[in-house]
Amino acid sequence: MALMFTATANIKKAVSLINQLDVAKFPRLLQRILQKLHLRDDRSFSEEEEEMLQQALGLQGADLQLVLETTAFVLEQAAYHSAKPAVLEEQLKNIQLEEDKISVFVKAWAAGGKEVILKLRKRTLAPDQLESVNWRLNLQMAQASQTKMKLPNAMFELGVRHDDDTREKVRMEFTHDELYDFYSQLETIQEQLDSLGS
């Protein structure tokens, strides 16, 4: 398997800091990060909790951030590669993580890795998702200033679901020409998606 981690200066420093952590405190830290990994914008710890962690772990603010970010990165890479616990163990040895910390990572990943991967797969790149499309056609035959006219238009109602599971209805109206232009743009997008897939 290809390397999941490259021993950059930041990773080396983070590994050194993680190796110095109390092995009794590390599993709870790791478990919390693992639980929140699938949440896009949520931090694993609040600011108050981070202050308490600094004191409990004996780390400065920047060092704690590096430990938290690197731990999350390790877990994200394990999820991205759908790494088996034995593969994760081997990869962590390659970056000089100590055996007791490797054991904590591997146990946590073996217990919660599958669930994290499933949650990450459900997470989308875009914060909004299209759930439904309703439409109707209208034909305007006259208006106050004009008696004989035919003005067709299409009305669309798009059901959109946001990341926080709230729903919204977006309404749009197109004339024939506007709808044709929109359709042409969708065709272009579809062609580009098809070319990426092949």
Side-chain angles (χ1 to χ4, degrees):
M1 175 177 222
L3 285 177
M4 289 194 297
F5 320 109
T6 304
T8 63
N10 275 345
I11 286 187
K12 286 178 182 176
K13 182 176 181 186
V15 165
S16 170
L17 291 168
I18 291 169
N19 283 339
Q20 294 171 23
L21 294 178
D22 181 352
V23 75
K25 296 176 182 174
F26 188 58
R28 291 196 331 211
L29 175 91
L30 185 65
Q31 194 59 42
R32 178 75 168 270
I33 294 170
L34 192 61
Q35 288 171 350
K36 299 255 185 167
L37 194 63
H38 69 284
L39 302 173
R40 184 187 322 277
D41 295 323
D42 286 4
R43 295 169 53 170
S44 296
F45 298 94
S46 68
E47 288 183 30
E48 297 82 31
E49 290 172 324
E50 286 183 10
E51 287 175 17
M52 290 189 299
L53 277 174
Q54 286 178 34
Q55 292 173 356
L57 300 175
L59 295 172
Q60 298 299 317
D63 288 345
L64 177 64
Q65 284 304 316
L66 184 61
V67 166
L68 296 177
E69 289 169 7
T70 303
T71 302
F73 175 73
V74 166
L75 296 169
E76 286 168 352
Q77 288 299 303
Y80 177 79
H81 292 281
S82 296
K84 303 266 187 257
V87 171
L88 179 61
E89 181 177 4
E90 189 64 36
Q91 296 288 327
L92 292 173
K93 285 179 183 175
N94 289 341
I95 59 171
Q96 312 302 312
L97 200 62
E98 290 179 357
E99 198 61 46
D100 58 345
K101 303 306 185 304
I102 291 174
S103 175
V104 172
F105 265 107
V106 170
K107 284 179 186 170
W109 186 247
K114 284 184 181 178
E115 184 181 342
V116 168
I117 291 170
L118 288 173
K119 287 179 180 177
L120 287 172
R121 283 185 181 153
K122 288 180 183 175
R123 187 176 84 179
T124 62
L125 296 175
D128 300 331
Q129 282 191 315
L130 183 63
E131 263 191 346
S132 64
V133 177
N134 295 311
W135 59 275
R136 74 172 188 244
L137 298 176
N138 293 326
L139 184 59
Q140 187 175 352
M141 300 297 285
Q143 67 186 64
S145 62
Q146 218 173 351
T147 56
K148 288 189 177 182
M149 61 184 277
K150 283 187 179 178
L151 192 65
N153 67 10
M155 304 281 292
F156 286 89
E157 183 180 85
L158 307 176
V160 177
R161 182 173 47 88
H162 301 288
D163 249 1
D164 59 2
D165 266 347
T166 58
R167 287 167 170 72
E168 173 184 11
K169 295 199 182 297
V170 178
R171 292 178 178 91
M172 299 182 297
E173 184 176 339
F174 292 102
T175 65
H176 181 272
D177 291 339
E178 291 169 338
L179 185 58
Y180 184 77
D181 289 342
F182 183 62
Y183 172 77
S184 296
Q185 289 176 352
L186 289 175
E187 280 291 306
T188 302
I189 292 168
Q190 183 64 50
E191 288 171 9
Q192 290 175 356
L193 286 172
D194 290 343
S195 69
L196 287 175
S198 44

